[in-house]
Every structure is written in structure tokens, then in C-alpha cells.
Amino acid sequence: QDLFVEDVMPDDSGRYRTPDGDAAFETRDEVIKVRFGRDVHLTVRESRHGPILSDIALELAKAVGPGKAVALSFIGLNPKDTTVEAFRGMNRATDWLSFQSALKLWVSPEQNVTYADVDGHIAFTAVGELPIRKRPTDDLPAPGSSGAADWIGVSEFQQLPQAVDPPSHRFINANNRVAPPDFPLYVGNGDDNDPFRAERITEMLDGGSNFTADDFARMQLDVKEQEADLLLPHLLKAEPRTESGMQAIALLRAWDRMMPRDRAEPLIYSAWVSRLKQELIAKTLGPDTLGRGAFGYGFSPFLLTRLVAHQGDSAPGQMGDALDETMAALAKAYGANIANWRWGAAHPAALTSQLLGGIPVLGALFDIGLPAPGGQETVNRAGFGRTDFVHFPDAHGPGYRGVFDLANLDSSRFIIATGESGDPLSPHYGDLAERWRDGEAITLAGSADAVAATGIGRQRFLP
């Protein structure tokens, strides 16, 4: 997707500039039905690039200023999207060729698909159409009136990153880069790709052989904070002034980078890094950059290392001051005795009811969240978003896990954090949560008739 900034004609707000002269915005009235209320009518404007977002996104309109409009070009707006047909074909495929034929129908959103079958074949494909642009993408809104950045087509399936049966006998996909920097199609600039979990998976695979399903299940639960290998050599140069700060340095110097829920080091590390990120961004770029979303999930550790380097000789003192502030805040929240601090106490996995979770008071009664291990860059991901620097709710992780045994499919194991029911009044609502947290799983074996004969019941969904 791309954003295009359109130039609105100064004497006619219903028209905008194009490479071929001015043109009229297309408009339509969308009706949003509201139960027990009046219909909401929304007038949608479109340019040749797509719907105008700045008509409803006031911050976006303010950012571009008067006389401008921001349009969205997005593959997912294609009315001829055949992705549902791709799903149907994938579910009915009997080998790689029929599976690949189904993937060719995938339009949006862009996804990475891995494949394995009982005959020993594996494959990887990035699916979804990609725009082909007149000029290289720079990740900034493009000028709409000149046409210099317009789309001139979309990719063909064979142009996407893909491979079958590689000599390494493995594919590793964990939000890492899937194409080299010189790949002909633009599939991201790589700066926001996440190499850390893939590096850790590679490390674990390189450390063994003849892996079993149990081995892979253990890998899924790995909680090494891989980004700490990058950050700690810089952070440990900090010069704290307080005794608790110096104690923290000693703990982190001996820390094995693991993020279990019953240790203090993960809490100290996460709190310190989060606070330091904010303080250095404010110092380097100004306090106005600390707006909504600036410190949400996915903040790049590479940026933090650059920010630290940018401070020069003052970095050790600044990092030390941030650590002293961190330890004081944690002591206030969890007590003076560091030995009693627990990462899990600050890092619960929020598992709320999708039906009732948004209702004040009532929603909290059906939250089956638990103290959770893991962190931002662990294979068992448990990422947190915005933080008050003492609480780090687990907001992003593997709600579903599966390990498939292709030699004996009936021995494959699965787990869903909140179970399958979804009914807060069901006796089985939440009864898998602790198993999920602790890395346990269940098996699903037998034919549909066999499961029906031995199961505890059947749940039917009727319109």
C-alpha cells in the first residue's frame, strides 16, 4: 500500500490535479447500520489512487495542511480479490503443485506461507500481489499530481520470493527478511524486519540433529531475549550512581538473557530499555516526537543502539541515570528487595473474552490472563506495547501453537490459549490457559465419526 498526497484545486474542492489536468473526486454515500440507533451516512471521496483518508483522519489532514488530500492505494481494496478461493484450494490440495496452484489466487494481505507434506517436500512462498511502482519506494507519502510514483501494475506469482526443497532442508520464518536487499520487487526496506527470533531458531537448529516433535515443541517455548545480545554490550557501559543501579548492572552482566516469569533480570532489562528509549528519543529528536504510538510494540533495538552512539561520551552517564530512575520506580512498585521481583507479576498475558472483554468491570471477570514468560524478541514471543515503565502486559504472542508430525499425523499436538469454546459460561472456557502458558498441548486424532463417538459433545453455530 501507498499513501498519495493529492493537490486539491484552490477554486474547486471537488477536483484535484492529475498528470493530465484536473479531475473530479468520485463520491459515494456509505450507510452504516446502527442497532437501536439511527443510520450513519458517510460520504466517501476517491481519487484515482483510492479513498481519501484525510477526510476522516483529522491528524492526517492536519499533517498535510490545507489544499491537500491523502489517498490510500491498497491491494486489499481490489473488488476482484480471489483470496477466499485460494483458501478453498489450499484446504483441498493433495501435493505441492495443487497447493501452489491455490496460492496463485491469493491477492491480499501479503503473507508468508510454509508448506510440508508426508512425502518429505517442503516449500516457502510469499503470497499476495505487490505493486510495481514507477520509482523506488521510500516509505513516505508520494506526490499524487505528478504521477511520478504511480503504480504501473502488480506482481505475477512467479516474481514473489519462493523456494522448494532447499539444500539446507529448512525454512525459518519469524518476521525476518524473506528477500535479499537487491530483490527485484519491493517487499520492505528491511529496516523494520526482525532478525532476532530467526537468529535464535537458527542457533538452536545448528546445535543439534535428528530432531523429534518434542524438540520442536521445546524450541517454541524458548525465551532467550535475542535482542539483548545486541543491546547489553552497549548498556553495560552505563555508570549508575545508586547502589541499586550498580546491583542491577551486576545482575545483568551475569544474566543468561532468558525471560522466565520468576526472575528479576527480565523485569529490570525491559524497564530500563523502555525508559532509555523514551529519554533518548526525547533528547535527540525533541519532546514533540513522544506522541501517540511512538513507543508501541516493535520499537527497533537497532535504533536504540544508534541513539546511544549519538550521545558520545555522555552516553554512560545518561544510561546510568536512566537505570537509577528505573530501579527507583521498580522498588516503589514491587518493594525494595530485588530478590522478590518477578517478571511475570509485571507481564501478564491478557486473555480477555472477545465477546465481553470490552465491557467495563464485567469484562475483567472473564479475563483468564496469567503471568507470562517471554519478551519482545523471544521465540515464544510475548511482546508488550506502551508502558508506564513498571507494568508490561503481554499484548502480542502465539495464541495458537502447533507441532505437526508428518510421519504420524495423529501424534501432532496443538494448543489455543483461550480454548475453542469462546463461551464465558462454558465449563471449558479457559481450561487450556495454564497448559498453553506451560507449553503443554493436546492431540486431535481419529476420523470425524470417531471423534463424535468419543467426544464430550458437539457445539453447533446457527445463523
Side-chain angles (χ1 to χ4, degrees), residues 251-252 255 258-271 327 330 337-344:
L251 286 171
L252 293 178
W255 181 40
M258 295 295 176
M259 302 281 285
R261 65 180 188 273
D262 59 353
R263 295 265 295 276
E265 293 93 336
L267 176 57
I268 295 170
Y269 172 80
S270 299
M327 297 302 288
L330 293 177
N337 189 350
I338 297 176
N340 292 334
W341 294 358
R342 298 290 181 267
W343 174 230

Side-chain angles (χ1 to χ4, degrees), residues 235-254:
L235 299 180
L236 293 176
K237 296 175 183 177
E239 297 174 353
R241 306 169 190 267
T242 65
E243 182 178 345
S244 63
M246 290 183 280
Q247 187 176 356
I249 289 289
L251 286 171
L252 293 178
R253 184 168 283 118

